[in-house]
């Protein structure tokens, strides 16, 4: 029976091994991709957490700088010991010249007097002591950050103020303050370094938006936008800043990751929005790399295993031609195996020994039968063989022995027949002749008895 290529051991083993490799690599790749996806997401989220913290630190540093300005002003005025118009104006003007980014620099006293740098005139008919910045600083008794409000001096703009009370002899005599215009704050927040399309926003202590890339959210004298109303998906982050991340759409309908953090020196909140697609792109890139590496591993492993299987099974290719000759009854084929030290090598050695044994048995049997064919029944018996092969030697030796007995008896009977024939020729006595025929009949019966176990072809069948 001729074997088809698809049924070869090599193909079967190679197919199984390749399938096992592919399944193993795919499973490992899936596990690796799941782990990679989680680790990448965690890494990107940690990056967002750090970016949020850095942004909060930058804004906190800016606020701390403004606090330092007002505290310095207050200390300078306190050092004078008296409220002197000339020195108060000199101090606030020097601060204003040093910090042109500040919209207004000023001081109000408990008597209701108002001093403003750069020659700015305070709003007529307005008592500075009734302004929110003055009240809050007086009530707190320390430097205070004031949420955005409408400027009394320029009602068409919004201000955020840092105010510090001034004390003399443990008694508050006034409040110094500096104003930052909302547009400047927005410009400052937007100028901070953000990566990969991220952006920041700022929310005051009342939950209103101070600064946001969407200009419609920024406060104006006519409109203040509440963060929870404009960004309802961030309510949890606004209630507990610094918590977990939230994924939501932003004002551009982009999928973003949000995080918030409270500023240390006030109740303002900094928010950060980080594009979700950045994480997806990073994960996709990691998945593509993993799949490429997995494909390379499959190709290399398949090539290596195919070569190994070919090398392992190549000795079988040497066995098949020998077995083909045996099937055809050719036992004279020279067995030349380069046997290795593995199981196949051991099989080759045993197969060579088996073929050699069979060849010797057949050759010896052929020799004995050939000698018997030529009339040599004195040829030596076959040697005793191992196992079931010994039945062959027993049968051949038994046949030779049986033929020896029969031929010997035939020869003996032939001699007797010759002797009886001569005796018949020499006598004419009927009784003696009867005796001779009786003896011949007895000899014939003995021969018939010895040959009766043999099955012969009838004469008519031969014809």
């Amino acid at each position: 029976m001729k074997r088809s290529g698809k049924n070869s051991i090599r193909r079967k083993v190679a197919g199984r091994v390749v399938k096992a490799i592919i399944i193993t690599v795919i499973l490992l790749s899936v596990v690796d991709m799941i782990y990679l996806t989680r680790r990448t997401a965690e890494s990107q989220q940690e990056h967002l957490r750090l970016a949020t913290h850095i942004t909060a630190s930058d804004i906190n540093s800016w606020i701390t700088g403004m606090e330092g300005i007002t505290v310095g002003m207050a200390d300078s005025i306190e050092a004078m010991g008296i409220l002197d118009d000339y020195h108060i104006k000199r101090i606030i003007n020097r601060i204003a010249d040093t910090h042109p980014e500040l919209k207004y620099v000023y001081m109000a006293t408990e008597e209701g007097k108002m001093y403003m740098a750069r020659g700015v005139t305070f709003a007529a008919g307005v008592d500075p002591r009734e302004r929110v910045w003055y009240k809050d600083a007086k009530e707190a008794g320390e430097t205070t950050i004031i949420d955005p409000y409408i400027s009394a001096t320029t009602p068409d703009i919004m201000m955020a103020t840092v105010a510090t009370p001034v004390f003399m002899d443990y008694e508050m005599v006034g409040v110094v303050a500096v104003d930052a215009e909302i547009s400047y704050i927005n410009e400052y927040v937007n100028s901070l370094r953000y990566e990969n399309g991220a952006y920041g926003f700022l929310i005051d202590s009342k939950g209103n938006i101070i600064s946001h890339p969407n200009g419609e959210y920024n406060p104006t004298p006519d409109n203040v936008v509440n963060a929870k109303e404009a960004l309802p998906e961030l309510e949890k982050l606004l209630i507990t800043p610094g918590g977990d991340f939230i994924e939501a759409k932003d004002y551009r309908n982009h999928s973003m990751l949000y995080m918030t953090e409270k500023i240390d020196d006030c109740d303002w909140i900094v928010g950060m929005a980080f594009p979700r697609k950045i994480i997806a792109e990073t994960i996709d890139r990691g998945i593509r790399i993993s799949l490429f590496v997995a494909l390379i591993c499959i190709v290399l492993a398949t090539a290596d295993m195919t070569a190994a299987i070919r090398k392992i099974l190549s000795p079988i290719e040497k066995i098949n031609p020998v077995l083909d000759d045996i099937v055809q009854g050719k036992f004279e084929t020279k067995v030349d195996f380069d046997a290795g030290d593995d199981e196949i090598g051991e099989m080759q050695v045993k197969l060579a020994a088996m073929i050699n044994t069979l060849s010797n048995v057949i050759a010896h049997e052929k020799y004995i039968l050939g000698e018997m064919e030529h009339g040599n029944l004195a040829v030596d018996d076959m040697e005793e063989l191992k196992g079931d092969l010994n039945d062959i030697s027993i049968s051949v030796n038994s046949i030779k022995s049986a033929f020896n007995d029969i031929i010997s008896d035939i020869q003996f009977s032939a001699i007797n027949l010759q002797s009886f024939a001569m005796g018949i020729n020499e006598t004419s006595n009927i009784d003696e002749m009867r005796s001779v025929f009786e003896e011949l009949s007895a000899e014939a019966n003995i021969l018939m008895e010895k040959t009766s176990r043999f099955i012969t072809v009838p004469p008519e069948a031969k014809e």
Side-chain angles (χ1 to χ4, degrees):
M1 181 179 67
K2 186 171 180 59
R3 162 178 53 83
S4 62
K6 65 180 181 180
N7 291 325
S8 65
I9 294 178
R10 179 182 300 173
R11 174 166 291 190
K12 289 180 179 178
V13 173
R16 290 293 183 90
V17 171
V18 169
K19 288 179 182 177
I21 291 174
I22 292 175
I23 292 173
T24 301
V25 173
I26 289 176
L27 289 177
L28 290 176
S29 298
V30 169
V31 173
D32 180 64
M33 284 187 287
I34 293 174
Y35 177 77
L36 174 65
T37 300
R38 291 180 178 177
R39 291 297 298 166
T40 301
E42 291 174 1
S43 176
Q44 292 294 334
Q45 290 173 353
E46 188 61 31
H47 180 76
L48 176 55
R49 189 185 302 277
L50 180 61
T52 304
H53 181 70
I54 292 174
T55 301
S57 297
D58 288 340
I59 295 176
N60 188 66
S61 296
W62 172 71
I63 293 175
T64 300
M66 292 184 67
E67 290 177 338
I69 293 172
T70 58
V71 170
M73 290 169 57
D75 290 343
S76 297
I77 294 173
E78 288 175 8
M80 292 189 307
I82 58 171
L83 295 178
D84 179 78
D85 292 353
Y86 171 77
H87 288 94
I88 291 175
K89 291 180 180 180
R90 183 179 178 184
I91 291 171
I92 62 175
N93 279 314
R94 185 175 68 247
I95 295 299
D97 292 340
T98 306
H99 297 279
E101 74 277 6
L102 299 176
K103 181 67 175 178
Y104 297 123
V105 180
Y106 49 91
M107 176 182 178
T109 66
E110 277 289 278
E111 286 77 21
K113 295 185 67 174
M114 185 71 173
Y115 301 91
M116 299 193 70
R118 303 189 186 103
V120 176
T121 302
F122 188 61
V126 177
D127 187 349
R129 294 170 296 181
E130 297 300 320
R131 301 297 292 171
V132 63
W133 51 269
Y134 194 97
K135 290 181 177 180
D136 286 356
K138 182 176 182 179
E139 181 179 354
E142 59 183 2
T143 302
T144 304
I145 310 299
I146 310 302
D147 292 333
Y149 62 96
I150 299 174
S151 172
T153 305
T154 49
D156 57 338
I157 62 175
M158 297 283 287
M159 299 288 186
T161 299
V162 178
T164 300
V166 179
F167 292 91
M168 289 183 181
D169 296 328
Y170 303 102
E171 182 181 353
M172 196 191 92
V173 295
V175 174
V176 293
V178 294
D179 291 343
E181 193 174 350
I182 291 300
S183 60
Y184 170 76
I185 297 175
N186 188 55
E187 181 181 344
Y188 176 80
V189 173
N190 292 333
S191 69
L192 297 177
R193 296 181 61 185
Y194 304 111
E195 298 180 1
N196 301 321
Y199 60 83
F201 52 92
L202 192 60
I203 300 171
D204 66 20
S205 62
K206 297 184 181 67
N208 296 323
I209 296 175
I210 300 174
S211 172
H212 195 281
N214 184 4
E216 296 179 0
Y217 292 164
N218 294 330
T220 65
D222 299 325
N223 184 41
V224 176
V225 178
N226 184 269
K228 291 181 181 179
E229 295 177 359
L231 308 170
E233 64 276 4
L234 305 185
E235 182 174 359
K236 180 180 178 181
L237 292 180
L238 300 178
I239 296 174
T240 56
D244 294 332
F245 299 94
I246 288 180
E247 182 177 351
K249 301 287 186 178
D250 70 352
Y251 67 99
R252 302 167 300 181
N253 202 34
H254 293 176
S255 182
M256 308 292 283
L257 287 178
Y258 290 94
M259 185 180 180
T260 58
E261 184 171 325
K262 184 176 177 296
I263 295 177
D264 294 337
D265 293 338
C266 63
D267 292 330
W268 289 4
I269 295 174
V270 171
M272 279 288 293
F274 196 80
R276 181 68 177 82
K277 68 177 183 178
I278 300 299
I279 296 180
E281 289 174 356
T282 303
I283 293 174
D284 289 343
R285 183 166 57 252
I287 291 175
R288 287 194 296 270
I289 292 174
S290 295
L291 291 177
F292 178 75
V293 172
L295 180 61
I296 294 297
C297 290
I298 290 174
V299 172
L300 293 178
T302 301
D304 180 67
M305 291 305 300
T306 301
I309 292 170
R310 183 183 295 111
K311 183 177 180 181
I312 292 171
L313 298 180
S314 61
I316 295 179
E317 299 298 330
K318 295 181 179 180
I319 295 175
N320 283 330
V322 176
L323 295 178
D324 290 339
D325 287 343
I326 293 176
V327 170
Q328 298 297 323
K330 300 176 183 178
F331 287 88
E332 296 84 7
T333 303
K334 183 180 179 181
V335 178
D336 184 19
F337 294 145
D338 183 16
D341 56 357
D342 54 12
E343 291 85 352
I344 295 180
E346 184 179 354
M347 182 179 68
Q348 287 179 316
V349 171
K350 292 179 179 179
L351 179 60
M354 180 188 73
I355 295 173
N356 185 58
T357 299
L358 289 175
S359 179
N360 291 337
V361 169
I362 292 171
H364 197 186
E365 183 179 1
K366 182 179 178 180
Y367 167 73
I368 294 175
L369 295 176
E371 289 295 313
M372 291 173 62
E373 180 185 5
H374 290 89
N376 181 16
L377 297 180
V379 67
D380 293 338
D381 289 347
M382 287 187 68
E383 296 179 357
E384 184 177 345
L385 301 176
K386 295 180 179 180
D388 293 339
L389 291 177
N390 195 44
D391 291 342
I392 297 175
S393 63
I394 292 174
S395 296
V396 172
N397 292 336
S398 177
I399 292 172
K400 184 171 71 70
S401 176
F403 276 123
N404 262 318
D405 291 344
I406 293 171
I407 296 301
S408 296
D409 288 343
I410 291 174
Q411 289 176 342
F412 180 74
S413 296
I415 294 173
N416 288 339
L417 181 60
Q418 186 179 18
S419 175
F420 294 152
M422 291 176 63
I424 291 172
N425 290 333
E426 294 175 356
T427 183
S428 58
N429 189 313
I430 296 300
D431 292 332
E432 290 181 358
M433 291 178 65
R434 183 182 295 111
S435 177
V436 170
F437 281 116
E438 289 176 356
E439 291 182 7
L440 286 174
S441 177
E443 289 287 343
N445 288 333
I446 292 173
L447 288 176
M448 286 294 292
E449 185 179 346
K450 288 187 176 182
T451 59
S452 63
R453 59 192 179 95
F454 293 101
I455 300 174
T456 61
V457 180
E460 56 272 17
K462 292 181 180 180
E463 295 176 358

